[in-house]
Amino acid sequence: MTDAKMRFCRSRNAGRRCTRELGHLGLHRHRALLWSDAGADPADCPASGEPAAPAATLSNGFPGGRALCERCHEFVELREGRLADHRTSSPETDDENRRQWFNSHGW
């Protein structure tokens, strides 16, 4: 048995995220929907620049003043009360804190 965590592809189509492993070959897939890179959503999140407030904080300070983007569910820096420009799926490095945050606060 291995402790390696599965990393998922970051491609999206109509907001649906590909459910295949990161670096997979061939078409992207979400349930029965298939798409190529040409049919994927732009990498930049359309919610960039929208008004937002800092997300609730865990006892260890996570997410550090960032807001939860309602569109792509990433924790994003704030600039003057608005979401900074960001991608729809950035590589999140703090998986355990992210998991704990969603278990405590949901979305």
Side-chain angles (χ1 to χ4, degrees):
M1 185 161 264
T2 180
D3 288 333
K5 294 180 184 175
M6 173 118 169
R7 300 284 183 192
F8 291 97
C9 178
R10 295 183 182 101
S11 182
R12 293 178 185 256
N13 180 280
R16 296 177 203 89
R17 188 172 182 167
C18 179
T19 56
R20 297 187 70 194
E21 71 281 355
L22 189 61
H24 68 85
L25 298 176
L27 296 173
H28 300 285
R29 178 186 73 219
H30 180 90
R31 296 188 180 153
L33 178 70
L34 298 172
W35 68 92
S36 68
D37 288 339
D41 293 346
D44 294 333
C45 182
S48 295
E50 288 185 2
T57 305
L58 296 178
S59 61
N60 64 5
F62 183 85
R66 295 178 292 170
L68 179 66
C69 177
E70 296 293 328
R71 192 78 62 99
C72 68
H73 300 116
E74 295 292 331
F75 290 103
V76 179
E77 296 291 329
L78 290 169
R79 301 226 169 84
E80 298 177 8
R82 296 185 175 276
L83 295 171
D85 290 342
H86 63 284
R87 301 244 162 176
T88 56
S89 186
S90 303
E92 186 70 54
T93 57
D94 206 346
D95 291 336
E96 185 55 39
N97 279 324
R98 183 177 170 80
R99 187 175 306 118
Q100 184 180 353
W101 192 93
F102 279 105
N103 284 336
S104 299
H105 301 287
W107 65 66

